[in-house]
Amino acid sequence: MIFDTDFHNHESSGRRYSPPKWELISKPVRIGDDVFIGARSTIMKGVTIGDGSIIAAGSIVVSDVPSNCIAAGVPAKVLQSLPTAET
């Protein structure tokens, strides 16, 4: 699942009936080239996943993941760097 919003306003007053303030509750998600995202992973708003990275199954990604690495867990953390064509 990939989410680019919180789906609701943050203020408790009128949260259920007020129109969403999209500029405050949304941020784009960026997924680079050749990224593998394992089954049942969740990518949250504002996250960037760099080229060539792997997200392990069941991970919840709440912060940026650099290029060419493996990230896993809840919340996802970088576990290892991957070799690149240049190395």
Side-chain angles (χ1 to χ4, degrees):
M1 295 183 287
I2 300 172
F3 297 107
D4 66 353
T5 183
D6 293 328
F7 297 103
H8 57 79
N9 294 328
H10 295 170
E11 307 86 24
S12 60
S13 174
R15 179 181 296 155
R16 291 176 48 175
Y17 305 108
S18 298
K21 297 176 185 171
W22 296 114
E23 66 281 356
L24 298 177
I25 63 172
S26 296
K27 291 183 184 173
V29 172
R30 295 177 178 87
I31 299 174
D33 293 333
D34 199 27
V35 170
F36 178 84
I37 300 174
R40 297 184 186 254
S41 292
T42 303
I43 314 300
M44 301 304 290
K45 76 174 189 177
V47 168
T48 297
I49 300 174
D51 295 343
S53 286
I54 297 171
I55 307 300
S59 296
I60 298 180
V61 184
V62 296
S63 60
D64 292 349
V65 175
S67 296
N68 301 305
C69 66
I70 298 173
V74 178
K77 299 198 181 323
V78 174
L79 301 180
Q80 131 183 24
S81 293
L82 296 170
T84 62
E86 294 83 34
T87 58

